[in-house]
Amino acid sequence: MEGLEQYRDIITALLAEYAGGEVVQADSEIQTIYDRDRDHYQLVSLGWQGNRRFYSVLMHLDIKNGKVWIQRNETDRLIAQALVERGVRKEDIVLGLQPEYARADTGYSVA
């Protein structure tokens, strides 16, 4: 399980880095949400714009069967590339936000 722990550490460090680099206004915040027991990881933006409430999942990653699934990316960050640069094997990354038929053309795992 050394690889699994390494992947957990890489994901949590990456999301913490992204959370720290976001511009936050007085009525909003960026939160990192980690469920290391079930391997779900999110970066969330929430707050108020005047009288309007907003809540958005900016990034969502899971670890399933030893692979890192990118479930959502609402930023301009290249998460898969950042994961590879930090030590996640390219064949252990699944672009879950892409339809399965398109994953084969990405160079990453299909599942």
Side-chain angles (χ1 to χ4, degrees):
M1 286 290 143
E2 180 178 314
L4 180 60
E5 283 301 317
Q6 179 187 10
Y7 285 179
R8 287 174 174 149
D9 291 344
I10 289 170
I11 291 170
T12 55
L14 183 68
L15 293 184
E17 176 186 322
Y18 287 169
E22 297 294 327
V23 176
V24 178
Q25 300 176 3
D27 292 345
S28 67
E29 61 183 292
I30 303 292
Q31 294 182 354
T32 52
I33 300 172
Y34 309 138
D35 178 354
R36 289 179 72 106
D37 292 333
R38 295 174 190 82
D39 286 319
H40 304 297
Y41 307 87
Q42 293 185 343
L43 185 67
V44 175
S45 172
L46 61 117
W48 291 91
Q49 290 178 329
N51 292 328
R52 185 170 167 224
R53 175 77 173 164
F54 67 91
Y55 177 92
S56 178
V57 177
L58 301 174
M59 292 181 186
H60 176 167
L61 294 95
D62 293 328
I63 300 175
K64 298 193 290 188
N65 299 320
K67 295 187 177 185
V68 178
W69 283 68
I70 300 172
Q71 304 285 20
R72 183 178 182 95
N73 181 11
E74 293 296 315
T75 73
D76 59 356
R77 312 264 180 147
L78 302 174
I79 302 172
Q81 182 178 330
L83 291 169
V84 170
E85 291 170 358
R86 286 163 173 79
V88 177
R89 297 174 358 153
K90 197 169 183 178
E91 57 268 24
D92 286 345
I93 297 173
V94 179
L95 302 179
L97 43 74
Q98 295 289 331
E100 190 171 346
Y101 65 85
R103 293 180 199 152
D105 297 329
T106 65
Y108 295 97
S109 179
V110 293

